[in-house]
Amino acid sequence: MNARVLGGGGGGGGDGETTVVLAHGYGGSSHIWDDVAPALAKTFRVVVFDWSFSGDVVVDDDDDAAAVSEDISCSYFGFADELVAMMDELALTAVVFVGHSMAGMIGCIASVARPELFRHLVLVGASPRYINDDGDGYVGGFERGEVDAMLAAIEADFAAWAPLFAEAVVGPAPSPGAGAVAKFAKQLGRMRPAAALRVMRAVLTCDVRAVLRDVAAPCTIVHCARDAVAPLAVARYMQRAMARGVDGAPAPAVVVMDSSGHFPQLTAPMEFVRVMEAILLDH
């Protein structure tokens, strides 16, 4: 999983040092954190890695399915197993896990399975379900028809779809805003098309809302004020669901960044670092 350790020098948290695991989301790689990881590594031990679906993971051309297997890896629960295996291999315990987008819910699932590995969860732009649910009024941000159309576009021509998606989800940024879009577009474009479709289908059709009530680890939800992928209503829903969860678990705080888009680590890196430092130094 191309794990790299930045800063620090001690163990996985047992010696009093804070270890921060940064987990990227769909279309990204460990390099999605390049604008923020060095600053965090000045104070904390930082671990970055690539999920099996990342374009930075080298696989044989004829072995695409090995990187993202349909029955195991290509589900949030399968990715949670990946995460736990990596943390065990690196002997990490009691970490602060920062999960961006889909990685946020993967971290929640892993924390339920192996609570001793997680001291605190930071969920950045996370969502347990992306499709609106008319039955209970849940607002996820997408209608089912929009999801079907997106999946069809990926299947038809991933190379043409990827830069358009990058521009739509990264959102505007202070000059040079185009750089943030280009950085994500480059990483997204490196994904294997079959993996890109399979993982996106798993993400957009997921419904892991039931997991929220089982999360016992302390949690902070970080969300952009204007996020086209996961609207702010999702963050408020997660806060309410987790507040009614495990007995004794404190209700998670919601930190709203005054920025647009789904990638604050790209579009507002200095603000993102300040937010992370405030959370980390408080926990």
Side-chain angles (χ1 to χ4, degrees):
M1 297 175 73
N2 299 334
R4 293 179 287 132
V5 180
L6 311 174
D15 59 357
E17 181 181 41
T18 298
T19 298
V20 182
V21 176
L22 301 177
H24 69 83
Y26 177 84
S29 73
S30 60
H31 293 292
I32 208 77
W33 305 106
D34 283 354
D35 292 340
V36 300
L40 295 174
K42 292 178 181 179
T43 307
F44 312 102
R45 183 180 187 230
V46 175
V47 178
V48 296
F49 68 96
D50 296 316
W51 295 110
S52 59
F53 59 78
S54 169
D56 281 8
V57 173
V58 178
V59 296
D60 294 335
D61 290 342
D62 295 330
D63 199 21
D64 188 10
V68 189
S69 66
E70 294 185 9
D71 57 338
I72 298 177
S73 294
C74 202
S75 74
Y76 280 17
F77 291 89
F79 291 130
D81 290 341
E82 278 189 19
L83 174 62
V84 167
M86 183 202 70
M87 293 177 68
D88 282 344
E89 183 175 349
L90 296 178
L92 300 176
T93 59
V95 308
V96 176
F97 177 83
V98 181
H100 176 238
S101 197
M102 65 180 286
M105 289 308 304
I106 294 169
C108 287
I109 292 168
S111 76
V112 173
R114 292 285 301 279
E116 76 279 7
L117 299 183
F118 301 87
R119 188 175 95 198
H120 196 89
L121 299 173
V122 182
L123 312 179
V124 182
S127 175
R129 176 182 168 119
Y130 291 89
I131 299 177
N132 301 329
D133 188 345
D134 294 335
D136 60 10
Y138 173 81
V139 177
F142 293 89
E143 296 295 341
R144 180 69 205 213
E146 294 175 305
V147 167
D148 291 341
M150 189 182 304
L151 295 175
I154 296 172
E155 186 170 19
D157 191 341
F158 172 69
W161 170 84
L164 299 176
F165 179 74
E167 186 174 358
V169 300
V170 173
S175 179
V181 174
K183 186 173 294 186
F184 176 60
K186 181 178 179 180
Q187 295 178 36
L188 174 61
R190 286 171 57 84
M191 286 187 76
R192 299 169 299 281
L197 176 61
R198 200 174 301 136
V199 175
M200 183 61 98
R201 181 178 290 113
V203 171
L204 292 181
T205 61
C206 78
D207 188 350
V208 288
R209 290 178 291 177
V211 172
L212 295 172
R213 63 172 177 263
D214 296 327
V215 175
C219 176
T220 303
I221 298 169
V222 177
H223 224 81
C224 290
R226 297 164 295 279
D227 186 336
V229 176
L232 190 55
V234 172
R236 300 302 185 192
Y237 172 89
M238 293 173 64
Q239 182 184 39
R240 294 192 300 272
M242 297 173 91
R244 295 196 299 266
V246 178
D247 291 342
V254 175
V255 178
V256 180
M257 294 182 59
D258 186 21
S259 57
S260 300
H262 193 57
F263 288 82
Q265 68 271 58
L266 293 180
T267 56
M270 293 180 64
E271 182 185 358
F272 186 83
V273 168
R274 288 194 295 267
V275 168
M276 289 299 110
E277 287 178 339
I279 295 170
L280 295 168
L281 292 173
D282 191 42
H283 297 89

